[in-house]
């Protein structure tokens, strides 16, 4: 099968029997649900851009497994150039959607599991790498979206998986059979889970011998028997349910999505297992996946940042203050911060290296520095955007008021006319355009899209402390002490 079009992707989701719950109820037609659809449109963009000749070179690539043309989101990186192109592709998608487009978690899982399974087999004589290659060939041939599922609920954080009062706090084996395993547990805040055709499950922490039954990686279809999702709600999400509220929504076309994914006695056939008890490799998968996803943020968040900066510049222009030196300086600062993140994404890619399995891994220290900066800079960019936009982005009356013909004025003016009069921007700019940019900024800074631009920048791909642990490990303080000793003449 060739690459899917955006529409074929959306239609392919309808064929799945994915079990989705929201507001305490099962949602049967989740593909057309107004709260879910923007996140589907967002993934669909990864298909649409691959069909666009303007972007085909960035979005598509020759498969290292089959030689066929595949979407880069299903590719195993073959060089540092591939790693750089991945970041560029993510920036492009961020610019086109101003949201989390979700498909990267699968791409990052492919590359982490591919290289790790090779090394597990090397030590244990297992055949996980072959299993994985077969699975990925199937994914590439069918141009599927796959969720990379890592974050377990974790229960009592001071305890290992095997020490938890409830064993389900980490995904684990409940039964070993001749033909496969039966697994239970859950993964929290799973980006793009509902929109994916398949899932790859991975461990979320390094494990010890007692955690054997929790040291697991496997693939399973999103509609597997026993699997279901409970949709995560976002700030201001029910605006999407209102009629004629596309302006108030801020970004009516695109959005991100997270869910609680539950596995209740799901059977996994042997051919889809990539780790099964080799506990000493759990940490390797976590570290590699996290490394790739920390690199990813040097692309996706930068693309979204580009749109935030553009929106702030438009807000200033509409208010007639774009020439003020203070405004110009704030836009320079936002650009400086955003491009610094991009520098980190490109740097950790350009310093990548070949793994034993043959695909390319990013520089771990630089990827962790990248993500650590992402936990800070978007917050400052948002602060400056709010500063430029002014308070109107959170105090403006609703879209319904602007279109209301209820009379309020002594000369028969309607609510809509009064709103349009007092919220008029500079000459030549419609009040509606001003409304649109203010609501867009509200959405990015503290509405539904802030999930993807702010809090996800903090906690997605690991919270700040996780990066600091990696920076401590990779920072080579001993070597640096030696530099100082050599020059200071200390024996
Ligand atoms: Fe991709 Fe960024 Fe979303 Fe992660 S947060 S899935 S890297 S868009
Ligand atoms: Fe993320």
């Amino acid at each position: 099968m060739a690459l899917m079009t955006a529409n074929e992707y959306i239609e392919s989701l309808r064929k799945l029997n994915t079990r989705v719950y929201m507001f305490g109820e099962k949602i049967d037609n989740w593909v057309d649900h107004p709260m879910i659809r923007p996140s589907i449109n967002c993934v669909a963009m990864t298909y649409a851009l691959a069909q666009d000749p303007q972007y085909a070179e960035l979005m598509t690539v020759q498969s290292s497994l089959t030689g066929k043309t595949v979407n880069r989101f299903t590719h195993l990186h073959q060089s540092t150039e591939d790693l750089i192109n991945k970041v560029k592709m993510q920036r492009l998608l961020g610019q086109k959607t101003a949201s989390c487009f979700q498909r990267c978690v699968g791409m990052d899982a492919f590359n982490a599991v591919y290289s790790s399974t090779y090394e597990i087999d090397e030590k244990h004589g297992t055949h996980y790498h072959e299993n994985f290659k077969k699975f990925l060939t199937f994914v590439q041939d069918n141009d599927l979206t796959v969720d990379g599922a890592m974050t377990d609920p974790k229960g009592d954080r001071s305890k290992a998986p095997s020490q938890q009062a409830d064993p389900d706090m980490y995904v684990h084996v409940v039964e070993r059979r001749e033909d496969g395993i039966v697994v239970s547990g859950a993964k929290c805040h799973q980006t793009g889970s509902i929109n994916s055709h398949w899932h790859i499950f991975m461990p979320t922490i390094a494990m010890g011998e007692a955690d054997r039954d929790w040291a697991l990686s496997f693939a399973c279809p999103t509609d597997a028997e026993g699997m279901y999702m409970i949709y995560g709600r976002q700030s201001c999400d029910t605006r999407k349910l209102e009629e004629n509220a596309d302006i108030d929504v801020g970004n009516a076309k695109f959005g991100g999505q997270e869910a609680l994914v539950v596995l209740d006695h799901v059977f996994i056939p042997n051919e889809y297992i990539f780790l099964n008890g080799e506990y000493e490799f759990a940490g390797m998968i976590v570290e590699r996946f996290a490394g790739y996803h920390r690199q990813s943020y040097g692309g996706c968040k930068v693309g979204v940042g580009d749109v935030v900066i553009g929106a702030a510049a438009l807000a200033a222009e509409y208010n007639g203050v774009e020439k003020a030196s203070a405004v110009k300086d704030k836009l320079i600062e936002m650009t400086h911060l955003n491009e610094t993140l991009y520098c980190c994404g490109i740097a950790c890619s350009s310093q990548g290296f070949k793994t034993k399995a043959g695909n390319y891994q990013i520089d771990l220290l630089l990827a962790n520095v990248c993500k650590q900066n992402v936990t800070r800079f978007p917050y400052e960019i948002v602060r400056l955007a709010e500063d430029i936009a002014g308070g109107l982005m959170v105090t403006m009356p609703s879209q319904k008021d602007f279109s209301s013909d209820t009379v309020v004025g002594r000369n028969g003016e309607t609510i809509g006319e009064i709103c349009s009069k007092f919220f008029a921007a500079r000459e030549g700019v419609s009040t509606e355009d001003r409304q649109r940019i203010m609501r867009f900024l509200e959405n990015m800074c503290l509405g539904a899209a802030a999930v993807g631009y702010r809090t996800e920048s903090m906690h997605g791909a690991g919270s700040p402390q996780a990066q600091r642990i990696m920076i401590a490990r990779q920072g080579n303080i001993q070597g640096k002490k030696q530099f100082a000793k050599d020059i200071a003449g200390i024996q």
Side-chain angles (χ1 to χ4, degrees):
M1 186 177 160
L3 296 173
M4 272 200 265
T5 63
N7 203 44
E8 282 166 349
Y9 160 68
I10 294 169
E11 291 309 307
S12 72
L13 296 177
R14 294 186 200 282
K15 296 186 189 119
L16 303 176
N17 180 31
T18 308
R19 297 161 200 91
V20 181
Y21 296 84
M22 186 198 285
F23 295 138
E25 284 171 12
K26 186 155 188 282
I27 310 289
D28 289 322
N29 181 9
W30 52 270
V31 174
D32 297 312
H33 193 287
M35 268 175 60
I36 301 176
R37 186 53 180 264
S39 63
I40 298 175
N41 295 341
C42 215
V43 180
M45 203 60 170
T46 69
Y47 290 88
L49 293 182
Q51 304 272 337
D52 186 333
Q54 198 185 336
Y55 303 115
E57 209 177 313
L58 194 57
M59 297 296 306
T60 62
V61 61
Q62 193 184 21
S63 165
S64 58
L65 297 174
T66 65
K68 294 181 206 159
T69 299
V70 296
N71 191 301
R72 191 177 291 280
F73 278 97
T74 66
H75 184 50
L76 296 167
H77 316 302
Q78 297 299 303
S79 60
T80 52
E81 196 193 346
D82 266 354
L83 290 170
I84 291 170
N85 281 335
K86 171 197 161 186
V87 172
K88 289 184 176 172
M89 169 179 78
Q90 289 168 311
R91 184 171 189 170
L92 172 70
L93 261 304
Q95 290 167 342
K96 296 287 186 190
T97 60
S99 300
C100 165
F101 35 90
Q102 307 148 57
R103 204 174 171 188
C104 330
V105 276
M107 167 174 56
D108 292 341
F110 299 149
N111 279 277
V113 175
Y114 181 79
S115 64
S116 301
T117 49
Y118 184 92
E119 292 177 44
I120 303 166
D121 287 358
E122 198 181 49
K123 180 171 174 202
H124 289 279
T126 41
H127 48 267
Y128 300 139
H129 194 60
E130 278 311 308
N131 285 356
F132 187 74
K133 278 200 320 205
K134 247 177 91 185
F135 171 67
L136 188 59
T137 303
F138 159 74
V139 168
Q140 290 185 341
D141 284 350
N142 292 284
D143 199 13
L144 300 179
T145 290
V146 177
D147 181 32
M150 180 163 274
T151 313
D152 294 85
K154 298 198 208 75
D156 181 343
R157 268 65 170 171
S158 71
K159 291 185 170 151
S162 52
Q163 298 167 334
Q164 298 287 329
D166 180 349
D168 289 345
M169 288 299 119
Y170 290 80
V171 171
H172 64 115
V173 175
V174 287
E175 190 191 339
R176 286 182 203 279
R177 290 168 31 177
E178 190 84 341
D179 51 349
I181 53 175
V182 179
V183 297
S184 278
K187 295 285 184 181
C188 298
H189 27 85
Q190 284 311 300
T191 295
S193 168
I194 288 157
N195 299 345
S196 296
H197 303 99
W198 277 69
H199 280 59
I200 292 180
F201 287 85
M202 295 167 285
T204 198
I205 51 166
M207 294 185 186
E209 200 176 344
D211 305 318
R212 253 178 215 286
D213 286 348
W214 287 264
L216 291 176
S217 178
F218 54 86
C220 95
T222 299
D223 59 356
E225 191 64 42
M227 183 160 161
Y228 57 90
M229 287 116 198
I230 304 172
Y231 203 80
R233 76 171 310 176
Q234 301 173 331
S235 172
C236 309
D237 52 6
T238 47
R239 284 193 196 184
K240 292 177 186 154
L241 301 177
E242 294 173 23
E243 273 176 27
N244 300 323
D246 63 304
I247 296 176
D248 284 356
V249 167
N251 181 353
K253 289 184 194 151
F254 304 110
Q257 169 206 108
E258 271 79 27
L260 171 70
V261 181
V262 182
L263 299 166
D264 183 0
H265 292 78
V266 177
F267 174 66
I268 310 296
N270 286 328
E271 60 184 303
Y272 295 119
I273 298 176
F274 314 131
L275 176 77
N276 184 8
E278 297 79 7
Y279 60 89
E280 75 276 27
F281 285 94
M284 178 187 280
I285 295 177
V286 176
E287 202 168 273
R288 291 185 180 179
F289 172 81
Y292 282 123
H293 212 56
R294 289 167 195 174
Q295 167 212 25
S296 287
Y297 278 37
C300 76
K301 300 300 178 234
V302 179
V304 177
D306 286 328
V307 193
V308 174
I309 295 168
L314 280 172
E317 187 186 312
Y318 293 173
N319 284 338
V321 296
E322 84 272 26
K323 292 205 176 75
S325 61
V327 169
K328 279 193 206 158
D329 194 56
K330 280 166 194 157
L331 292 171
I332 291 167
E333 179 65 11
M334 292 163 86
T335 306
H336 165 73
L337 292 168
N338 205 40
E339 297 300 336
T340 303
L341 298 180
Y342 189 52
C343 291
C344 295
I346 295 295
C348 68
S349 306
S350 74
Q351 297 301 298
F353 61 92
K354 198 174 186 172
T355 66
K356 281 188 180 177
N359 63 334
Y360 270 65
Q361 177 76 39
I362 41 74
D363 181 281
L364 269 182
L365 175 60
L366 297 186
N368 279 279
V369 169
C370 177
K371 173 69 218 308
Q372 181 81 182
N373 283 336
V374 173
T375 66
R376 301 171 182 175
F377 296 178
Y379 284 81
E380 181 62 8
I381 290 171
V382 156
R383 191 184 74 79
L384 291 165
E386 289 191 25
D387 181 352
I388 292 173
L392 189 60
M393 63 175 253
V394 292
T395 63
M396 195 169 40
S398 72
Q399 190 173 341
K400 282 198 180 75
D401 290 307
F402 279 87
S403 57
S404 166
D405 50 17
T406 302
V407 173
V408 281
R410 73 164 65 218
N411 296 316
E413 301 95 333
T414 64
I415 295 176
E417 284 164 346
I418 292 295
C419 285
S420 292
K421 171 184 161 77
F422 288 110
F423 293 114
R426 71 191 265 177
E427 211 174 320
V429 176
S430 71
T431 313
E432 185 185 309
D433 285 350
R434 190 171 181 222
Q435 247 181 299
R436 283 186 184 278
I437 217 65
M438 289 295 165
R439 287 299 184 207
F440 175 79
L441 280 167
E442 180 197 29
N443 176 52
M444 293 306 309
C445 299
L446 43 90
V451 176
Y453 191 56
R454 281 181 44 152
T455 316
E456 192 177 46
S457 287
M458 180 69 80
H459 294 295
S463 305
Q465 197 55 31
Q467 290 114 52
R468 299 185 80 78
I469 291 166
M470 289 302 293
I471 290 169
R473 249 190 246 161
Q474 308 264 331
N476 188 20
I477 294 293
Q478 289 309 327
K480 286 166 181 157
K481 278 191 200 164
Q482 196 57 48
F483 291 143
K485 278 184 176 174
D486 289 349
I487 294 173
I490 299 169
Q491 295 295 315

